[in-house]
Amino acid sequence: MTKYLISFPSEAMVLADEEFPIVVAESHAVIEEAKAAGVYVFGGGINAEVDPVLVGADGSVSGEIYPGSVLTGGFAVLELPTREDAVAWAGKLAAACRCSQELREFGFDPAS
């Protein structure tokens, strides 16, 4: 089976304050559904309070990341039999999160 990344940037989720608890509950329900279906691998949200760093091969750490590299928001990694299944799960998360989701397919690596 193929692993898929379903994600959205923070700025895509535009909610009124009173909607936030509802969206959290509904998105968690979709994740629980994915777990029950046996397709959930990992998920979460990027902590916007901690700045990313760039780590070199020598272990050096820089506060500057690659130009244009921006990763915010939430994501889920699901392992699914078809792209159509991935689109269906992305649709469930889009409905729960009140914003469209980006869908990416991980390439197969026999060593992983």
Side-chain angles (χ1 to χ4, degrees):
M1 286 205 292
T2 303
K3 291 179 179 71
Y4 294 89
L5 174 66
I6 301 170
S7 64
F8 65 92
S10 296
E11 57 272 7
M13 187 183 279
V14 180
L15 303 171
D17 289 342
E18 62 272 7
E19 291 178 285
F20 192 73
I22 297 164
V23 169
V24 168
E26 290 182 13
S27 62
H28 286 175
V30 174
I31 295 302
E32 290 304 317
E33 182 184 352
K35 288 178 180 179
V39 299
Y40 181 81
V41 176
F42 179 77
I46 302 299
N47 187 344
E49 295 178 14
V50 179
D51 291 332
V53 296
L54 190 64
V55 180
D58 63 356
S60 61
V61 178
S62 169
E64 293 188 31
I65 58 174
Y66 289 113
S69 176
V70 178
L71 181 59
T72 64
F75 66 92
V77 177
L78 304 182
E79 189 169 36
L80 300 159
T82 68
R83 185 166 182 86
E84 291 77 22
D85 291 321
V87 168
W89 281 101
K92 290 179 184 188
L93 285 166
C97 294
R98 311 299 196 273
C99 64
S100 296
Q101 304 288 299
E102 296 177 346
L103 177 64
R104 292 179 174 82
E105 183 175 314
F106 286 97
F108 177 72
D109 180 354
S112 63

